[in-house]
Amino acid sequence: VATDSVRVVAAPEGTELAGWAALRGRAGPVAWEGGVRLDRYSITDEERWSPRLMARWDPATGTSVKVSWGRYVQSQGIHELDAPDGQASLASTESAEQVAVGLEHRTPGGWAFRLEGYRRDIEDPLAEFVNLSREINPIPEVEGDRTRIQGTEARARGIEAMVALEGTGPVAWSAAYALASAENRIDGVWRPRTLDQRHTVNLFGSVRLSGAWQLSGTWQYHTGWPFTEQFLDVVVTEGLDGTEEVDVVRRGFGPLNEGRLPAYHRLDVRITRRFQMARSLLEVYLDVFNAYNRTNLRGWEWRLRDNGDGTFGAQRDPGEEQLPVMPTLGVRWVF
């Protein structure tokens, strides 16, 4: 029997201080801002400077072009300390450089168009603890597939496009698409991050049925998250009573996040009834999540398969994740 223990200071003492200075200006249709931020973390004994620049050009009414560059630091919060995985102290801050370019146009009729691209490079990403099998476990830290992922650097790239009708009429809608990637560099090889999704689509629609009733819905879609293939063996042993015992034993894993799960998609619907009062607004709404009962795959589960000829094999089954189709009643009161 093997035992292990971790000693963690549950209430570390320290301070986090931040200061920001900026200078703004305008030259004709171009507005700009330059600034610098200083962060001080006493727990990890760090001081980090973060310069940032931004410019906005308005070539015509309702049209703007934005360009930004900056460095950003992120400290590890006490709630993010992975004590069950053996982390006994907070990690050093994560530093990133980001560049973004965006184009936006709005019309007097309520139409809005936006196109944006970004690039983010992380020099020293924080470690991530994951279960490679992606099975849903109540205590994931005790499972045998628990793995620490530590990249030497990370990166994110993306292009996002959106069109929307935001007028005051009875109908409003929006459609957005994103092509993106998020990767870790591990042992010199770029690997997809745990929640990397290349294609993402979000659709929203709303119809005001009357002055008091409104029907709305959201449909979301994204390509499957990455997963790591497993190698399994069927092992036959002799039990204490002399009978054969057959079991599936994990031999190892393939390259990290080399596979892809099936695509995810879901429809959520809401109907709202508004009650306008003298000095407040009361909204009563009914939500239906996963309206068409879609079963989305979170990962794979493994079980023993009887081949029917006296032999056995390892069978991969979907590790399903499904929201129940059930109504949810809510109230919102705005004063």
Side-chain angles (χ1 to χ4, degrees):
V1 179
T3 60
D4 195 6
S5 63
V6 177
R7 184 176 183 272
V8 177
V9 179
E13 294 183 358
T15 58
E16 295 186 11
L17 299 176
W20 166 257
L23 181 64
R24 298 176 180 175
R26 174 177 285 275
V30 178
W32 58 269
E33 177 180 313
V36 62
R37 177 185 171 106
L38 172 63
D39 291 272
R40 167 66 182 167
Y41 306 98
S42 67
I43 296 179
T44 55
D45 192 24
E46 293 178 281
E47 288 184 358
R48 307 299 292 268
W49 292 88
S50 307
R52 299 170 192 177
L53 297 172
M54 186 276 289
R56 171 174 171 165
W57 174 41
D58 299 318
T61 302
T63 302
S64 63
V65 179
K66 298 179 182 179
V67 180
S68 64
W69 169 87
R71 296 192 63 85
Y72 302 84
V73 295
Q74 179 66 51
S75 63
Q76 185 180 24
I78 183 63
H79 63 285
E80 298 174 315
L81 183 67
D82 288 300
D85 290 304
Q87 272 196 334
S89 60
L90 296 176
S92 299
T93 56
E94 184 179 87
S95 177
E97 180 179 357
Q98 180 168 308
V99 179
V101 179
L103 170 65
E104 185 173 345
H105 178 70
R106 294 178 179 273
T107 70
W111 289 92
F113 305 89
R114 186 174 70 241
L115 180 64
E116 184 175 6
Y118 64 89
R119 169 177 175 162
R120 184 178 180 90
D121 296 292
I122 303 173
E123 299 173 355
D124 38 17
L126 297 174
E128 181 184 9
F129 293 87
V130 300
N131 291 76
L132 294 181
S133 67
R134 279 191 175 273
E135 293 183 8
I136 302 175
N137 302 308
I139 310 178
E141 295 84 4
V142 303
E143 298 296 332
D145 62 341
R146 192 70 170 173
T147 302
R148 182 178 186 267
I149 298 177
Q150 178 65 74
T152 55
E153 56 181 317
R155 65 187 182 188
R157 308 284 189 269
I159 299 176
E160 300 178 359
M162 186 274 291
V163 58
L165 178 61
E166 302 173 340
T168 58
V171 177
W173 62 271
S174 66
Y177 167 75
L179 172 64
S181 67
E183 299 173 302
N184 271 325
R185 187 177 179 88
I186 302 174
D187 296 329
V189 179
W190 286 103
R191 298 288 184 187
R193 304 193 81 170
T194 304
L195 298 181
D196 174 70
Q197 51 194 56
R198 297 303 171 90
H199 303 279
T200 303
V201 177
N202 285 290
L203 303 178
F204 168 79
S206 174
V207 179
R208 192 164 61 247
L209 304 176
S210 67
W213 290 91
Q214 183 173 2
L215 177 66
S216 60
T218 301
W219 184 76
Q220 53 182 303
Y221 165 93
H222 65 74
T223 47
W225 289 333
F227 76 94
T228 303
E229 191 64 80
Q230 303 182 56
F231 301 112
L232 305 172
D233 290 329
V234 176
V235 178
V236 181
T237 58
E238 183 176 340
L240 297 177
D241 57 357
T243 61
E244 288 187 345
E245 295 182 357
V246 185
D247 198 5
V248 176
V249 178
R250 182 187 297 120
R251 176 161 38 96
F253 289 91
L256 178 68
N257 289 340
E258 194 171 70
R260 286 281 172 175
L261 297 173
Y264 176 104
H265 54 87
R266 195 182 89 208
L267 174 65
D268 301 332
V269 179
R270 169 180 288 192
I271 186 166
T272 304
R273 175 67 163 88
R274 290 186 172 89
F275 300 90
Q276 185 65 57
M277 302 179 185
R279 296 184 179 181
S280 63
L281 173 65
L282 177 65
E283 293 182 345
V284 180
Y285 57 87
L286 179 67
D287 283 328
V288 178
F289 296 101
N290 195 17
Y292 53 74
N293 202 30
R294 163 73 176 181
T295 299
N296 290 296
L297 191 62
R298 178 184 174 90
W300 299 105
E301 296 179 353
W302 300 87
R303 66 179 179 87
L304 190 67
R305 182 188 69 244
D306 188 345
N307 296 325
D309 57 0
T311 62
F312 297 87
Q315 179 170 320
R316 185 171 74 175
D317 291 336
E320 300 174 352
E321 181 180 44
Q322 182 175 359
L323 289 171
V325 181
M326 60 180 296
T328 301
L329 186 64
V331 177
R332 179 172 176 261
W333 198 353
V334 181
F335 293 92

